[in-house]
Every structure is written in structure tokens, then in C-alpha cells.
């Protein structure tokens, strides 16, 4: 992470004298001033929250690409998917496991029709880096669904 022109390495292994929980809190404190998703997680900016637990927050995208467009974020700041480390494995699993639950609650989970075909559905998307389309540098997963066409698709 860069603050001004000074490079600061915030990886947990560079802070062996403090606990993992303390390092996560430090990450939030360092980033909360300049990260919109940290501010949303800290309830400093209002959002259409649809789910919250100790580790995750899900809210409605302010510029939806589909009838259902939710963002699932970890409360701890992680810049990109490329920045995750082994200790984030469980957190990533929780993010993925939350998507089908939210899809069901918002009416876009796939369902079997009377003729046996599937209808409905959603997609999950994590943009990573500038060429991957990431606009906010706080790890987040889009859960997008509902009847098509969606913006940018026919």
C-alpha cells in the first residue's frame, strides 16, 4: 500500500509482535480514510445493506447492471484478490457461500421448471486490477442476477 510517496507493507508477517486480529484492525484503521468500502463497512456512508455478519457485508450496488446487483465485501480491508494470503481462505469461502443464499432471498436463484428445464440464475464476479476492471480497491464480489437483458448484454 502507498500512503503519499511512502510505501508501507501491511502484510501480517511483517508485524510479528501483534496478533492477527490487531493487524486486521490496523488495516481497517489505515484504509478507512481513503476506501469507500471501508467507510461503508464502518457505517460512515449509508448503503442498502442486505446482509451483515462479523466478517462480511453485502449491499446493493449503486449503479446496478441487472435487476439484482449486490456487492459482498469482507469487513477487513484487502486490496485485490491477488493480495489474499492463506489466512484469507475461510473468508473467501464465506463470501462464495453467501452468494447462493442472497440469490435465493432476492429471487434470482436457478429453479427447475415443470418441463425439467432450469430458469433464473445469477453470476458472481471478482474484478482484479485495472485490466480486470476493478474500480474500488477493496476486495469485493458482485452477485448479479434477475431477468435479462442486463446492461452490456443482449
Amino acid at each position: 500500500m502507498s500512503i503519499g510517496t511512502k510505501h508501507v507493507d501491511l502484510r501480517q508477517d511483517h508485524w510479528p509482535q501483534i496478533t492477527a486480529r490487531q493487524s486486521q484492525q490496523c488495516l481497517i484503521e489505515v484504509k478507512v480514510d481513503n476506501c469507500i468500502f471501508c467507510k461503508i463497512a464502518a457505517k460512515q456512508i449509508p448503503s442498502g445493506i442486505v446482509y451483515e455478519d462479523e466478517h462480511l457485508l453485502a449491499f446493493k450496488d449503486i449503479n446496478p447492471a441487472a435487476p439484482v446487483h449486490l456487492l459482498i465485501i469482507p469487513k477487513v480491508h484487502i486490496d485485490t484478490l491477488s493480495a489474499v494470503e492463506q489466512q484469507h481462505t475461510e473468508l473467501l469461502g464465506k463470501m462464495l457461500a453467501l452468494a447462493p443464499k442472497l440469490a435465493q432471498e432476492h429471487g434470482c436463484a436457478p429453479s427447475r421448471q415443470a418441463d425439467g428445464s432450469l430458469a433464473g440464475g445469477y453470476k458472481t464476479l471478482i474484478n482484479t486490477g485495472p485490466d480486470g476492471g476493478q474500480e474500488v480497491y477493496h476486495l469485493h464480489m458482485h452477485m448479479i442476477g434477475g431477468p435479462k437483458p442486463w446492461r452490456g448484454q443482449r
Side-chain angles (χ1 to χ4, degrees), residues 31-149:
K31 290 294 196 170
V32 77
D33 288 338
N34 63 358
C35 174
I36 191 167
F37 288 174
C38 285
K39 289 179 180 182
I40 289 171
K43 309 285 183 5
Q44 295 172 345
I45 296 176
S47 65
I49 296 173
V50 297
Y51 176 86
E52 182 173 13
D53 68 19
E54 180 183 355
H55 304 285
L56 301 176
L57 188 71
F59 53 93
K60 295 177 181 179
D61 193 298
I62 62 168
N63 188 22
V68 176
H69 189 161
L70 306 176
L71 300 175
I72 301 170
I73 66 167
K75 288 184 174 180
V76 63
H77 185 92
I78 303 168
D79 284 339
T80 71
L81 185 59
S82 293
V84 301
E85 296 181 359
Q86 185 64 37
Q87 76 257 20
H88 300 120
T89 302
E90 184 177 348
L91 183 64
L92 292 171
K94 288 179 179 184
M95 288 175 71
L96 284 171
L98 181 57
K101 177 182 185 269
L102 293 176
Q104 183 70 39
E105 290 174 3
H106 288 83
C108 59
S111 61
R112 188 73 58 191
Q113 302 300 295
D115 66 359
S117 65
L118 282 175
Y122 61 95
K123 71 176 177 177
T124 56
L125 173 69
I126 298 176
N127 299 313
T128 305
D131 289 343
Q134 187 172 5
E135 295 176 359
V136 176
Y137 282 83
H138 182 121
L139 177 65
H140 59 284
M141 181 172 70
H142 297 259
M143 198 284 298
I144 304 167
K148 288 189 175 180

